[in-house]
Amino acid sequence: MDRPTVYIETSIVSYLASRPSRDPVTLRNQQLTHAWWNTRRPDYALFTSKFVIDEAADGDPVIAQRRVTLLTSIPLLASEGTVAEELAQALVRGVPLPPRAFADAMHIALASVRGMAYLLTWNCKHIANPRLQTRMARITAAWGFTIPALRTPAEL
């Protein structure tokens, strides 16, 4: 039986690699992420991208190395040339998303172009935001693709 595909976005490895937060909500999300990673991860075929690795490599060198190490065994999705970038630009314009959220739109676009079943994230502002999903799905469908189910570890 084929396992459902999951695109792992940067916030997932950030929660896995970071020190426990003092904020109770963030701490709970970190705990949920660890639980998903340790128990549910084998149920899925994981994928990530060069964009996630680039984001994960930024910041504190010790934490960045932890994030990148978590990603080393996960296959990378090819960027599909400019199609994913053009779709990401269409998402930024059409949703609309702020220009600084282009990387978030790129994750959605790449996961859509590559046919992922899920995109796993804690970014609920620009990615797993229920108020934006209908617009994102409509734009993605206009390009001939299906948007993956945008989920947090608590939901998946």
Side-chain angles (χ1 to χ4, degrees), residues 87-149:
L87 176 54
Q89 289 169 356
L91 289 166
V92 168
R93 284 189 311 272
V95 169
L97 294 172
R100 72 184 189 314
F102 179 77
D104 299 336
M106 195 65 206
H107 296 307
I108 296 164
L110 185 56
S112 299
V113 169
R114 292 307 306 262
M116 296 286 103
Y118 298 97
L119 187 161
L120 193 64
T121 184
W122 278 110
N123 180 336
C124 297
K125 185 172 186 177
H126 299 132
I127 298 178
N129 182 332
R131 292 180 301 127
L132 304 179
Q133 288 182 24
T134 300
R135 283 179 266 168
M136 290 188 283
R138 191 171 45 245
I139 293 165
T140 304
W143 280 70
F145 302 105
T146 301
I147 194 169

Side-chain angles (χ1 to χ4, degrees), residues 41-124:
R41 178 175 44 136
D43 299 336
Y44 300 93
L46 305 185
F47 295 89
T48 196
S49 71
K50 172 191 168 306
F51 305 103
V52 172
I53 292 176
D54 291 346
E55 287 179 328
D58 282 346
D60 177 283
V62 173
I63 302 297
Q65 184 56 52
R66 284 186 207 154
R67 289 189 296 259
V68 170
T69 299
L70 287 163
L71 295 165
T72 56
S73 65
I74 302 174
L76 297 179
L77 295 177
S79 64
E80 293 297 322
T82 60
V83 173
E85 288 183 30
E86 291 172 2
L87 176 54
Q89 289 169 356
L91 289 166
V92 168
R93 284 189 311 272
V95 169
L97 294 172
R100 72 184 189 314
F102 179 77
D104 299 336
M106 195 65 206
H107 296 307
I108 296 164
L110 185 56
S112 299
V113 169
R114 292 307 306 262
M116 296 286 103
Y118 298 97
L119 187 161
L120 193 64
T121 184
W122 278 110
N123 180 336
C124 297

Side-chain angles (χ1 to χ4, degrees), residues 10-27:
T10 316
S11 61
I12 299 303
V13 292
S14 292
Y15 274 44
L16 289 170
S18 63
R19 295 172 189 92
S21 176
R22 292 180 184 193
D23 174 72
V25 173
T26 302
L27 178 61

Side-chain angles (χ1 to χ4, degrees), residues 21-41:
S21 176
R22 292 180 184 193
D23 174 72
V25 173
T26 302
L27 178 61
R28 178 69 179 140
N29 291 347
Q30 288 172 319
Q31 293 167 339
L32 287 167
T33 304
H34 281 275
W36 186 90
W37 191 262
N38 293 328
T39 63
R40 298 299 314 267
R41 178 175 44 136

